[in-house]
Amino acid sequence: MNETRQLTGTQETPAVPRQAAGGAKQRDAFFDNAKYLAIVLVAIGHAWEPLRGDSRVATALYMAVYAFHMPAFIVISGYLSRSFDGRADRVQRLVTGVLVPYVVFQVAYTLVLRRFADGGNDDTYVGFFEPRWLMWFLLALFIWRLTVPVWKAVRWPLPIALGVAAVATASPTLGSDLQIQRVLQFMPFFVLGLVLRPEHFQLVRRRAVRLLAVPVFAGALLVAYWAEPRLRYQWLYHKQSAQEFGEPWWTGVLMTLALFGCAAVLIACFLALVPGRRTWFTALGAGTISGYLLHGFLARAAIEWGWYDGEPMSGIYFSLPVTTAVAAVVITVLCTPPVRRLFRPVMEPKLDWLFRRGS
């Protein structure tokens, strides 16, 4: 299939495209593998949230994963958006692949989460400029991709993006509409993806980097364990300013740079460990949009239905591996072709009637 879909929308630039026997471009196995493994980490991270409690081990694992899993997704999304130029057909795919799923699932998450949180609240108001939970990413991706021509035009895109993120982290007056703090604070990762080239991915996949990746991840876990009582894990959400944490404005600037640096190192290690060949889960990388959008309902339902309330789940050394395994299996099922086909009308709709012919 020549036109392929990434996590949330159309894959604008085939990543290191390979040629099939007939000369047609194939999906790149490396990026499909990376997207699948990243979505598994997203689901596991959400499954671990109720386990944090007073567990330093669970919180340290949670912090280590949150330090890089969404940044990795965003870097890949930026890389695959490099060819976006505002052309009519690409805008059409952006609308149908990102904006329409955002609208549909914003409604769904608003109504479902409201009933869970309020014990059956029947209020039908939906704030489309107030993304609910997972939906911030789709809206952010829509905004980021529209800015691609700007980043391609400026001379120093990444330093400028980091500067904007640092200013945002020190600006409590931005408000919560569009989750603008997340849009701006995560933006440097999208811009990083835009400036990367195929040779950069080949560089991190060298044997020396792969050998270093495991001890670096082990060190990250130790740092997270040390930092757990000293650092608010909410910094990793990139959704609040420094002042909202009770810190001076310059702390936000320093945290922006520090978290970006840590995430960049961990993303490089993650990509170094991603297999480049086709595996049993490569095909699932094409279905990460369904996994991302659907798993949130099950994650919240598990809390509502008492998954974490039983006696066995009170022990962290039992609940942690069990919850990890269940989350990995569930997200894998949600990425499969049958699930994609079932939800394609709302995740990848054909809306030719909405656009001008030839667009």
Side-chain angles (χ1 to χ4, degrees):
M1 192 166 67
N2 290 339
E3 292 297 338
T4 53
R5 300 272 181 176
Q6 63 172 37
L7 168 66
T8 48
T10 303
Q11 178 172 308
E12 296 292 349
T13 305
V16 197
R18 302 181 184 188
Q19 297 295 322
K25 291 179 180 178
Q26 292 181 318
R27 294 186 66 96
D28 186 85
F30 171 73
F31 284 94
D32 278 338
N33 292 339
K35 289 186 291 181
Y36 167 75
L37 294 174
I39 198 65
V40 169
L41 290 176
V42 170
I44 289 173
H46 289 148
W48 283 349
E49 284 186 13
L51 300 178
R52 292 193 314 263
D54 297 326
S55 172
R56 188 172 179 179
V57 172
T59 305
L61 287 168
Y62 181 85
M63 291 173 67
V65 168
Y66 264 72
F68 77 94
H69 72 342
M70 282 309 299
F73 257 130
I74 295 167
V75 167
I76 294 171
S77 296
Y79 180 77
L80 298 177
S81 298
R82 291 178 302 153
S83 67
F84 185 85
D85 55 7
R87 203 172 69 191
D89 60 327
R90 288 173 176 157
V91 172
Q92 179 176 343
R93 290 196 294 270
L94 178 60
V95 171
T96 58
V98 178
L99 188 59
V100 172
Y102 169 76
V103 171
V104 172
F105 282 86
Q106 172 72 355
V107 173
Y109 270 106
T110 297
L111 299 180
V112 170
L113 296 181
R114 186 176 292 150
R115 291 186 67 85
F116 281 166
D118 301 334
N121 189 332
D122 293 325
D123 183 9
T124 57
Y125 169 76
V126 178
F128 288 104
F129 296 101
E130 303 166 9
R132 294 300 298 267
W133 199 25
L134 304 176
M135 304 315 299
W136 73 267
F137 178 63
L138 269 72
L139 187 58
L141 182 60
F142 181 79
I143 296 171
W144 293 331
R145 192 170 289 172
L146 288 176
T147 67
V148 168
V150 175
W151 299 115
K152 292 168 70 174
V154 299
R155 182 169 294 178
W156 303 291
L158 187 55
I160 292 174
L162 280 168
V164 171
V167 171
T169 313
S171 304
T173 58
L174 285 177
S176 59
D177 287 350
L178 305 179
Q179 289 215 22
I180 193 65
Q181 281 285 1
R182 272 181 161 168
V183 172
L184 298 179
Q185 290 188 38
F186 274 113
M187 188 166 61
F189 298 105
F190 184 81
V191 177
L192 174 60
L194 287 176
V195 302
L196 291 176
R197 296 292 177 265
E199 54 267 28
H200 296 130
F201 291 95
Q202 294 168 5
L203 182 64
V204 300
R205 295 172 62 195
R206 294 172 61 182
R207 185 171 182 271
V209 181
R210 290 200 300 270
L211 292 176
L212 284 172
V214 173
V216 169
F217 273 125
L221 288 173
L222 292 176
V223 170
Y225 187 83
W226 171 85
E228 189 275 334
R230 300 172 173 85
L231 178 71
R232 293 172 182 255
Y233 64 80
Q234 291 90 342
W235 279 105
L236 301 172
Y237 296 160
H238 296 276
K239 63 184 294 187
Q240 293 173 279
S241 66
Q243 293 91 326
E244 290 173 291
F245 289 124
E247 303 289 345
W249 66 268
W250 53 264
T251 303
V253 176
L254 294 179
M255 289 298 293
T256 297
L257 299 177
L259 292 178
F260 181 84
C262 291
V265 171
L266 294 177
I267 291 169
C269 292
F270 169 72
L271 294 174
L273 298 175
V274 171
R277 65 186 184 283
R278 291 194 64 82
T279 67
W280 65 267
F281 56 79
T282 299
L284 300 177
T288 48
I289 183 173
S290 62
Y292 182 82
L293 291 174
L294 295 174
H295 86 278
F297 296 113
L298 298 179
R300 289 300 174 91
I303 299 173
E304 183 72 12
W305 296 338
W307 167 266
Y308 297 93
D309 297 339
E311 180 61 30
M313 298 298 286
S314 62
I316 193 66
Y317 296 106
F318 174 85
S319 60
L320 197 60
V322 169
T323 301
T324 301
V326 171
V329 170
V330 168
I331 197 68
T332 298
V333 172
L334 294 179
C335 291
T336 56
V339 176
R340 289 183 64 202
R341 286 193 293 270
L342 180 63
F343 288 93
R344 183 165 289 153
V346 292
M347 293 183 184
E348 303 174 28
K350 298 289 186 181
L351 298 177
D352 293 339
W353 56 269
L354 184 62
F355 301 93
R356 296 177 180 176
R357 291 185 179 275
S359 63

